[in-house]
Amino acid sequence: MQPFIPKRLEPVAFGFLLSGMMSCIVACVSTWLALGSLSGIIGAWLSSWAVAFPAVLVVAPIVRRILARIVKPA
C-alpha cells in the first residue's frame, strides 16, 4: 500500500483512526453489557465516534504537551 495522506494531515488522520478504533471498542463493550448482544452496535459506535473524534483532536495535543514535560529524555 502506497502512502497517500500528506504529512500535514497526519494529526487529523491519527485522531480519525484512534477515535474510530477506541469508540468501536467502547461501543462493543457497552452494547454487549447493556443488551447481552451486539445487535445495536452500529448505532452505538457511530454516536460514540461522533463524540470521540473531535475529543481526540482536542485532547491529543494537550496530552503530548504534558508528556513532553513529564517524560525524561533518553
Side-chain angles (χ1 to χ4, degrees):
M1 180 176 188
Q2 293 292 324
F4 60 93
I5 296 174
K7 183 71 174 168
R8 65 182 172 79
L9 293 178
E10 186 176 8
V12 176
F14 172 83
F16 184 79
L17 293 173
L18 179 65
S19 64
M21 291 176 190
M22 293 302 296
S23 62
C24 183
I25 292 166
V26 171
C28 285
V29 171
S30 62
T31 302
W32 182 64
L33 290 174
L35 303 176
S37 73
L38 296 178
S39 60
I41 189 64
I42 297 299
W45 176 59
L46 287 175
S47 61
S48 296
W49 201 358
V51 173
F53 182 50
V56 164
L57 292 180
V58 171
V59 173
I62 296 168
V63 170
R64 285 188 185 111
R65 276 187 245 129
I66 292 169
L67 289 174
R69 290 179 182 242
I70 65 172
V71 173
K72 289 182 182 180

